[in-house]
Amino acid sequence: MKIYISGGITGVENFMEKFSKTEELLKEKGYEVINPARINAELPKSTTYEEYMRMSFLLLDMADAIYMMNGWEKSKGARMEFWKSYQTEKRIIFSDGDMGIGLDMDCITKEIIDETCRIRCSIRG
């Protein structure tokens, strides 16, 4: 099973280290891992937030499941990834071990839904 890692990047200290440790733990459990922090780090410096998110959504589309790291709900991008995963009925795995789709949706706001739709529409061209 391919798992996409989701968590805060913008404004998060040591995010690369946190994503790398999570990647290692998931690989040790036998999963194929998509680490967007590592992949997006290879993009040009001029890459915009919207372009990073488009790339992240493409990577997420490749995955069977999403792994939500601790603190994901504080990240606008991670909340959009959560919402996309929920809409597409991907398996959602939280870092505390809970799994499932029947989740408390309080952290999803109209702003996040609108931003997700705007970015997804820009992907379609």
Side-chain angles (χ1 to χ4, degrees):
M1 176 184 338
K2 283 187 242 173
I3 296 182
Y4 177 94
I5 303 171
S6 181
I9 292 178
T10 303
V12 175
E13 274 189 47
N14 303 320
F15 74 87
M16 191 63 82
E17 181 181 328
K18 291 175 183 179
F19 273 77
S20 293
K21 284 183 180 179
T22 300
E23 179 179 9
E24 289 174 29
L25 290 171
L26 291 170
K27 282 183 175 180
E28 286 173 10
K29 293 182 183 272
Y31 297 111
E32 293 180 276
V33 180
I34 300 171
N35 181 344
R38 184 172 41 80
I39 295 168
N40 284 341
E42 298 298 318
L43 297 175
K45 297 286 184 208
S46 62
T47 304
T48 65
Y49 177 80
E50 288 78 14
E51 290 169 329
Y52 281 120
M53 288 309 302
R54 285 199 320 251
M55 176 63 82
S56 295
F57 284 154
L58 292 171
L59 294 169
L60 180 56
D61 283 341
M62 295 169 50
D64 304 304
I66 187 168
Y67 183 88
M68 308 304 297
M69 294 172 49
N70 283 335
W72 69 271
E73 64 280 351
K74 297 174 190 165
S75 165
K76 181 179 173 181
R79 291 191 314 255
M80 288 190 291
E81 292 166 345
F82 169 85
W83 181 246
K84 179 178 173 67
S85 297
Y86 177 81
Q87 288 180 315
T88 58
E89 299 182 0
K90 287 193 183 294
R91 184 173 180 190
I92 300 172
I93 305 168
F94 293 89
S95 59
D96 64 1
D98 290 338
M99 296 182 203
I101 299 217
L103 305 167
D104 180 358
M105 300 299 285
D106 289 343
C107 62
I108 304 297
T109 65
K110 183 180 183 322
E111 172 194 337
I112 298 303
I113 294 168
D114 290 346
E115 182 73 4
T116 303
C117 291
R118 188 182 67 73
I119 289 173
R120 289 180 73 191
C121 288
S122 70
I123 292 171
R124 294 184 191 134

